[in-house]
Amino acid sequence: MEGDNVTVRHAVVLSNATDILGSFTITNATLTFSNWMTQLRVSADVTLRDNGTITCGGPFTNGAMSNRIWIACSNLAIAGGGAIDAVGKGYAGGP
């Protein structure tokens, strides 16, 4: 809900834009963005801690839904072991 401070500790697939959260922390889990208009909206801090990963679906082709990682926040902190990983998730070409 809007203004909530959210901590994620298990795998989550995000398929729509969030309400504007107060803060967002992920640890020992993966947050996967699943379509082009999905956005993580946070008024203050986004923190990726140990084994906290943000990624997206993919790779995609012309006929598949495209995906991206879209984060809107004031502060982004990635601690040791945290990651934003979109390796191999982009456009694969073809139909």
Side-chain angles (χ1 to χ4, degrees):
M1 302 216 48
E2 187 141 347
D4 283 354
N5 297 319
V6 174
T7 299
V8 173
R9 293 187 179 103
H10 57 84
V12 173
V13 175
L14 190 61
S15 60
N16 293 297
T18 65
D19 288 334
I20 300 172
L21 306 174
S23 68
F24 178 88
T25 302
I26 185 166
T27 185
N28 293 317
T30 300
L31 172 67
T32 303
F33 285 69
S34 70
N35 68 53
W36 190 255
M37 295 308 296
T38 299
Q39 182 184 30
L40 176 61
R41 301 183 309 167
V42 181
S43 63
D45 302 328
V46 171
T47 305
L48 285 66
R49 296 205 172 151
D50 296 328
N51 298 315
T53 302
I54 293 179
T55 190
C56 63
F60 62 92
T61 60
N62 289 339
M65 180 188 321
S66 61
N67 298 283
R68 66 177 166 180
I69 297 169
W70 186 7
I71 302 168
C73 63
S74 295
N75 301 299
L76 176 64
I78 303 174
I84 297 175
D85 182 6
V87 173
K89 305 288 183 159
Y91 180 63

